[in-house]
Amino acid sequence: MILVLKASATAREIAAICDRIRSLGFAPAVGSAAERVVVSFVGAGPAIEPDLFSALPGVDKILPLRPAYRLASRAAHPADTVIRVGDATIGGGNVAFMAGPCSVENRAQTLEVADALAGLGVKILRGGAFKPRTSPYSFQGLHESGLEILAAVRERTGMAIITEVLAVADVPLVAAYADILQIGTRNMQNYPLLAAVGAQARPVLLKRGMSATVEEWLLAAEYILSQGNGNVMLCERGIRSFDKATRGVFDVSAIPLLKKLTHLPVIGDPSHATGHWDLVAPVAKAAVAAGADGLIIEVHAHPDQALSDGAQSLRPARVAALLTDLRRLTAALDRGLDVRDMGLRLAERSVASAA
Ligand code: PEP
Ligand code: MN
């Protein structure tokens, strides 16, 4: 960290700033640049919060030299974080593929879509049992009985399960059933919830807050990491804009930016970003082309009957076509698509027979 002092800073103020730096275990180094006094910290002391200096008389600007998200930063941990869940691998060059309904609505609906996805080789099933709905009158999810359905589907198909946890009190329950815990966009800055999922062992998919900056998002990940859970992935799911033509704006540039800033895997969610099923596949491919480590996509066997997010849900046959395209795309990029091989052959067959 470097402090740039005000042009008006007095010798007494500079001395007080230097005393504060010494009290933290560093030696102050006073110099000048662009007609300003600048003070840097020499030595290896503890990490320092800029706030400790922001109100000191004479301080104009604080220039951090290291990002505040120490554990999430690529500088602190150059190698990619690789997360293994069941027989799926997330991060480290592969493209992971998670798919399933927005909500677990009932056993038959979940089994139908899960069987179709398992047949396509999908290794990770998504499905919400605790739903964060904008209106309190909308379907809120089946809660524990939804988790029981997901566990039964895992038993039957071998797929790993990702599902959202909404509240601190539900963390032990959801972690008892799920393989990956999802933190939704509305909870990205629910710090007690982040700490709670950081203190348990399941991997966490952290969605970007719909109005969160990349730095706020990485600091939210830092809350989880700092509790000891290193298995965190970041999910771009669209941010708010002035334009209502699509549900959100998929921030494709955030993907290569995050790959530079952090070692954590980055997942694209084109379903919530676009809100329209026919925009999902092109944006999914854009995410992979931009370097995403995986995708999470909403799928329903009967989107017209879905209790939530039917308009953005793909039918399984469209997933088959998407997987075929993704196999070509990942091969061109020299990457692997983490879907069971048998499923890829089935996907190709069903595309061929639909053509
Ligand atoms: C979801 O995944 O169904 C969901 C509610 O997502 P988000 O938090 O991105 O809105
Ligand atoms: Mn949804």
Side-chain angles (χ1 to χ4, degrees):
M1 193 156 79
I2 292 178
L3 306 177
V4 180
L5 305 194
K6 292 178 179 156
S8 60
T10 64
R12 183 191 289 263
E13 286 169 348
I14 297 171
I17 290 164
C18 291
D19 283 347
R20 171 72 61 89
I21 292 173
R22 280 189 209 97
S23 76
L24 294 166
F26 293 88
V30 180
S32 67
E35 291 159 30
R36 293 290 191 88
V37 176
V38 294
V39 188
S40 54
F41 297 58
V42 179
I48 301 201
E49 286 306 311
D51 271 359
L52 291 178
F53 290 87
S54 59
L56 275 191
V59 173
D60 183 14
K61 286 196 194 78
I62 301 172
L63 308 177
L65 295 179
R66 268 193 297 228
Y69 45 88
R70 296 170 199 134
L71 299 172
S73 88
R74 176 77 78 183
H77 186 308
D80 283 352
T81 284
V82 179
I83 300 173
R84 293 202 166 77
V85 182
D87 62 349
T89 305
I90 305 159
N94 265 332
V95 175
F97 195 85
M98 314 179 207
C102 179
S103 300
V104 175
E105 300 168 8
N106 56 59
R107 186 173 289 264
Q109 164 255 4
T110 310
L111 283 180
E112 185 178 10
V113 74
D115 280 351
L117 291 169
L120 296 173
V122 175
K123 295 181 177 178
I124 304 175
L125 180 75
R126 62 147 290 148
F130 290 86
K131 294 305 303 176
R133 305 308 300 282
T134 301
S135 164
Y137 306 115
S138 301
F139 177 60
Q140 302 288 312
L142 299 180
H143 297 175
E144 188 164 4
S145 56
L147 297 174
E148 284 166 1
I149 292 171
L150 289 169
V153 169
R154 173 175 49 213
E155 192 63 33
R156 175 183 166 112
T157 62
M159 281 191 282
I161 300 297
I162 173 168
T163 194
E164 179 161 355
V165 59
L166 278 183
V168 172
D170 296 329
V171 170
L173 175 74
V174 179
Y177 286 93
D179 299 289
I180 305 173
L181 302 183
Q182 175 175 321
I183 300 291
T185 189
R186 296 159 184 81
N187 268 324
M188 190 206 82
Q189 285 179 309
N190 180 338
Y191 298 119
L193 182 60
L194 300 177
V197 297
Q200 56 80 58
R202 301 279 184 211
V204 177
L205 178 140
L206 176 65
K207 289 203 168 192
R208 181 180 188 172
M210 59 186 90
S211 300
T213 65
V214 166
E215 187 175 35
E216 288 164 343
W217 189 10
L218 287 165
L219 284 166
E222 192 78 10
Y223 268 86
I224 305 172
L225 297 170
S226 62
Q227 293 298 315
N229 187 347
N231 288 328
V232 177
M233 55 200 113
L234 302 166
C235 176
E236 165 60 39
R237 50 78 67 204
I239 50 177
R240 278 272 165 101
S241 119
F242 56 88
D243 191 345
K244 296 285 156 264
T246 51
R247 183 171 177 175
V249 171
F250 188 74
D251 185 0
V252 74
S253 55
I255 296 171
L257 176 63
L258 285 168
K259 296 301 298 173
K260 235 176 25 177
L261 298 177
T262 180
H263 52 89
L264 300 175
V266 181
I267 308 296
D269 173 352
S271 307
H272 291 89
T274 64
H276 298 279
W277 70 266
D278 53 341
L279 305 181
V280 167
V283 175
K285 289 178 241 178
V288 171
D293 296 289
L295 296 165
I296 183 164
I297 291 185
E298 288 192 337
V299 186
H300 200 291
H302 310 282
D304 51 325
Q305 291 164 29
L307 295 183
S308 61
D309 286 348
Q312 66 195 33
S313 296
L314 294 184
R315 293 177 193 277
R318 306 256 181 212
V319 179
L322 174 59
L323 287 173
T324 301
D325 284 355
L326 287 175
R327 190 167 74 142
R328 288 198 204 104
L329 178 59
T330 51
L333 295 168
D334 235 354
R335 303 177 65 192
L337 179 62
D338 194 26
V339 173
R340 290 188 187 124
D341 284 345
M342 174 205 70
L344 278 171
R345 283 198 291 277
L346 282 175
E348 281 179 340
R349 232 180 284 145
S350 76
V351 170
S353 62

